[in-house]
Amino acid sequence: MTAYPKYRTILCLWNIFVWLSIYHVLGIHFDACLDENYPDGTIFVKVSLEQCKEHCAVRNWCKVLAYRRLFTLCTLYREEDIISKLDGDEEMKVKSCVYITREELNLQESLTCDNLCPSYPATCDIADQKCYKDDCPRFNDPNGVVRGNMNRNQSKVSVKCNWKMLDGRSTYTTTCEAGTWSENHRCINVSTCSNYIGALVPDSSLTASSMFRPGCAPNNSRLNIQEEGDLHAGAWCANASDQSPYIQIKLNTPSFVRGVATQGRNFYDPAQYVTEYQVSFSEDCEDFQDVMNETNQPMIFEGNTDKDTVVIHMFEHWVKTRCVRISPKSHVRHISLRFDVIGCPDWNVMFIGIPSRGGLVEDWLTTGFNTTSDLSCFYEGNEHNCSLHYRNPLVDKWTELHVSMVKYALYKNGNEVAYVIFNATGSNVTSWFQSERILNSSWTGLSATADFIEATGI
């Protein structure tokens, strides 16, 4: 697996609840002697140089501190390579700035902290001999405006989604809790969240309140499925005596759902189709909530008028859910339905490859060579300043995570230009990358029998 030199590579997993945040901080910007080309750090205001040194010493992740005497402003950085950008910078002298590496601190606290908390980024309580995961990486969301620039324990920032993004009127708040932000990446790009996502679930994830006969079982409810004799009736068909009929899909992971698409029963004459239905959703697949209308009543969606035309309805606001249920309310001749849900999975970003850094993706994933687990550099437009690739430490727990799918994507100028989705069930960190595991791809003609990927025209 080789990296494409002209494109930023994003590797995502579909199995856990985290969506990576990469962001641009707006509002007051304390640059701590540095201009906007340098990555943000952890800020302390109104402190002396000695206090700044102490802040760095008791944080084992602090590799470099920058201190601005004029404003008594202290900034701590996680990457040592910031020095290569600072070294010889004449602006530093003009702005009366000092920068010191961890090795140059010469404080007993730094040595004690490094020995006390060697295995993960932490703040040390030297007196009580304890480690605390308190500081978080700077919070970014490329699809919204971030308000607030603190990242210490219990710090809060709010984000207002851009108008071009899904649910752009909403604002959410996230809190730094023991080194992790409580909410991640809630502003979703509409252009990349408008796919049929039910097609990737196994038949066992389709269930229903009843069926008319075996050929009308829930696995026949997939959009565009065709009639094939007695075993495949061309739709899910409810039992005629069912007083509360529904068809339900359990997605492979909690996902952002934006709408639904429906059809009637294929081939059968006279035509059978659902004309009105309600939609409900559930994160635990037990307690369901209805999609509501503007008067806060369960929304009644208009269904089909024939057996094969696909009718799509988009929700006013997306929902994050695991299970989606469609409950027919009226029909023609018999309750028969094919459907899919529209949205995108809640991917967890595991790897970001930076152009011109060289090497093989396989090596980066397996050994961690030339990578970092610090996300503070990886926000939109700043990637060229990142000296290392990003590698999520969860890669080392691949088999424990029970990964079901992997998305391998290429980005150009901040936009996804191509992707391949692989079935990762039962895989290890590298074995998912096989042609026979391909589930879906933006490259036309690419399939499980393809010998290679021809990435022309992107």
Side-chain angles (χ1 to χ4, degrees):
M1 298 184 291
T2 58
Y4 292 83
K6 294 183 179 179
Y7 304 99
R8 179 163 57 98
T9 303
I10 304 288
L11 180 65
C12 309
L13 302 189
W14 189 5
N15 70 311
I16 48 182
F17 291 14
V18 181
W19 184 282
L20 169 70
S21 298
I22 53 178
Y23 62 119
H24 179 64
V25 176
L26 300 181
I28 298 175
H29 179 66
F30 297 102
D31 61 16
C33 313
L34 311 179
D35 64 28
E36 61 184 5
N37 292 322
Y38 297 115
D40 291 314
T42 296
I43 298 168
F44 296 88
V45 297
K46 296 183 179 180
V47 296
S48 66
L49 176 58
E50 291 305 313
Q51 289 172 323
C52 186
K53 291 180 180 180
E54 292 173 1
H55 282 305
C56 184
V58 298
R59 288 166 172 80
N60 63 0
W61 51 262
C62 176
K63 305 304 182 184
V64 180
L65 68 84
Y67 184 73
R68 189 169 185 174
R69 290 192 179 96
L70 182 60
F71 297 101
T72 60
L73 190 64
C74 172
T75 308
L76 310 184
Y77 293 95
R78 297 169 182 258
E79 298 293 341
E80 290 185 4
D81 65 350
I82 190 69
I83 294 179
S84 64
K85 299 176 182 179
L86 295 170
D87 199 16
D89 191 340
E90 293 301 319
E91 287 293 317
M92 295 288 289
K93 300 175 182 178
V94 175
K95 295 178 179 179
S96 300
C97 295
V98 174
Y99 65 92
I100 302 173
T101 66
R102 188 168 191 81
E103 289 72 20
E104 295 170 333
L105 284 175
N106 293 322
L107 293 178
Q108 183 60 41
E109 287 89 342
S110 63
L111 298 175
T112 303
C113 182
D114 292 344
N115 293 326
L116 181 63
C117 311
S119 58
Y120 55 83
T123 294
C124 308
D125 186 330
I126 304 298
D128 292 338
Q129 295 287 290
K130 294 181 179 179
C131 301
Y132 297 99
K133 290 184 177 180
D134 58 350
D135 295 323
C136 294
R138 281 300 190 87
F139 190 85
N140 289 314
D141 193 324
N143 300 325
V145 178
V146 179
R147 295 167 175 170
N149 61 358
M150 300 303 290
N151 63 330
R152 291 154 69 181
N153 192 39
Q154 297 305 309
S155 296
K156 297 180 183 292
V157 297
S158 64
V159 181
K160 182 174 178 59
C161 300
N162 298 336
W163 70 270
K164 290 184 179 180
M165 301 302 146
L166 188 61
D167 202 13
R169 290 165 292 176
S170 67
T171 298
Y172 68 94
T173 299
T174 178
T175 303
C176 177
E177 298 176 348
T180 303
W181 292 104
S182 59
E183 288 284 348
N184 281 334
H185 211 300
R186 294 287 298 279
C187 301
I188 308 302
N189 192 329
V190 175
S191 65
T192 60
C193 195
S194 300
N195 304 309
Y196 290 132
I197 56 177
L200 298 177
V201 306
D203 286 347
S204 59
S205 293
L206 294 164
T207 56
S209 56
S210 67
M211 62 182 177
F212 186 74
R213 58 180 177 84
C216 292
N219 64 297
N220 290 281
S221 65
R222 296 184 184 275
L223 204 66
N224 294 315
I225 198 170
Q226 303 295 300
E227 186 270 345
E228 295 181 16
D230 291 339
L231 293 180
H232 300 285
W236 162 69
C237 315
N239 194 301
S241 62
D242 192 343
Q243 298 299 305
S244 301
Y246 67 82
I247 181 76
Q248 177 178 310
I249 185 170
K250 182 178 182 179
L251 301 170
N252 290 346
T253 190
S255 301
F256 300 102
V257 176
R258 301 185 57 219
V260 294
T262 62
Q263 288 175 298
R265 182 177 177 180
N266 172 252
F267 186 74
Y268 194 86
D269 285 317
Q272 299 177 359
Y273 48 88
V274 171
T275 57
E276 291 183 328
Y277 61 89
Q278 292 179 346
V279 179
S280 54
F281 58 93
S282 172
E283 292 191 38
D284 60 9
C285 302
E286 295 182 3
D287 298 320
F288 283 81
Q289 302 177 48
D290 292 318
V291 175
M292 310 300 280
N293 61 19
E294 63 278 1
T295 62
N296 204 33
Q297 298 297 315
M299 182 77 175
I300 300 294
F301 294 91
E302 294 184 5
N304 298 87
T305 57
D306 60 37
K307 56 187 177 182
D308 284 319
T309 301
V310 177
V311 175
I312 295 175
H313 286 290
M314 305 302 290
F315 306 152
E316 183 177 358
H317 300 288
W318 57 264
V319 295
K320 185 177 178 181
T321 188
R322 183 72 184 273
C323 285
V324 179
R325 177 179 291 183
I326 294 181
S327 302
K329 295 302 175 183
S330 63
H331 62 276
V332 170
R333 296 185 182 88
H334 195 93
I335 296 176
S336 299
L337 183 72
R338 291 174 287 170
F339 81 105
D340 206 334
V341 295
I342 299 169
C344 56
D346 187 9
W347 295 103
N348 181 48
V349 174
M350 303 298 283
F351 176 82
I352 302 176
I354 303 301
S356 304
R357 300 297 184 265
L360 300 175
V361 175
E362 183 173 1
D363 292 339
W364 299 329
L365 288 175
T366 55
T367 68
F369 173 74
N370 209 25
T371 66
T372 177
S373 61
D374 183 7
L375 278 170
S376 59
C377 181
F378 297 89
Y379 57 91
E380 201 64 63
N382 190 64
E383 293 90 342
H384 65 283
N385 290 318
C386 303
S387 61
L388 300 172
H389 308 289
Y390 170 72
R391 181 182 185 271
N392 193 321
L394 288 174
V395 169
D396 297 324
K397 298 182 179 181
W398 191 281
T399 55
E400 300 173 33
L401 296 174
H402 304 291
V403 180
S404 60
M405 288 191 290
V406 174
K407 181 178 182 180
Y408 189 97
L410 298 180
Y411 280 69
K412 185 176 182 180
N413 298 327
N415 298 309
E416 182 182 287
V417 295
Y419 69 87
V420 186
I421 297 177
F422 296 87
N423 176 6
T425 303
S427 70
N428 60 33
V429 70
T430 58
S431 64
W432 55 268
F433 195 84
Q434 300 177 30
S435 59
E436 58 267 25
R437 287 181 173 270
I438 294 174
L439 295 173
N440 193 11
S441 174
S442 62
W443 279 293
T444 56
L446 187 63
S447 67
T449 59
D451 294 325
F452 61 90
I453 296 173
E454 182 179 359
T456 58
I458 61 173

